[in-house]
Amino acid sequence: MVRAYVLVQTQIGKIPQVAAALREMPVTVQCDDVTGPYDVVVQVEVPTIEDLGRLVAEQVQHIEGITRTVTCPVVTY
């Protein structure tokens, strides 16, 4: 499994709706509203790194209210 954190910036006033949509995704492990340069941080688990790319490009970035994402795969040693 590939675990990653997706850092999300939203349009003003859209944090609750974006977070709710992210929490509904079956691959979501944790989703938190945060303060700072990002508005929501979501932790996801998917089978492969390719699945992670597809998830972000085809699902996450299509959620209404999201303006920018940064994807941070977890590195394990």
Side-chain angles (χ1 to χ4, degrees), residues 1-72:
M1 289 296 274
V2 174
R3 194 165 36 108
Y5 295 93
V6 182
L7 313 176
V8 179
Q9 291 178 336
T10 69
Q11 295 171 342
I12 293 172
K14 296 291 185 176
I15 294 171
Q17 296 92 332
V18 168
L22 291 167
R23 286 184 185 105
E24 291 178 12
M25 295 189 323
V27 296
T28 296
V29 174
Q30 174 109 18
C31 181
D32 295 301
D33 302 1
V34 297
T35 61
Y38 298 97
D39 301 308
V40 179
V41 175
V42 60
Q43 182 182 3
V44 297
E45 283 187 353
V46 292
T48 68
I49 197 76
E50 291 82 10
D51 292 327
L52 178 60
R54 280 191 291 277
L55 170 73
V56 174
E58 297 173 5
Q59 294 181 40
V60 174
Q61 292 180 345
H62 287 270
I63 294 172
E64 185 178 343
I66 290 181
T67 58
R68 182 171 185 256
T69 63
V70 175
T71 304
C72 305

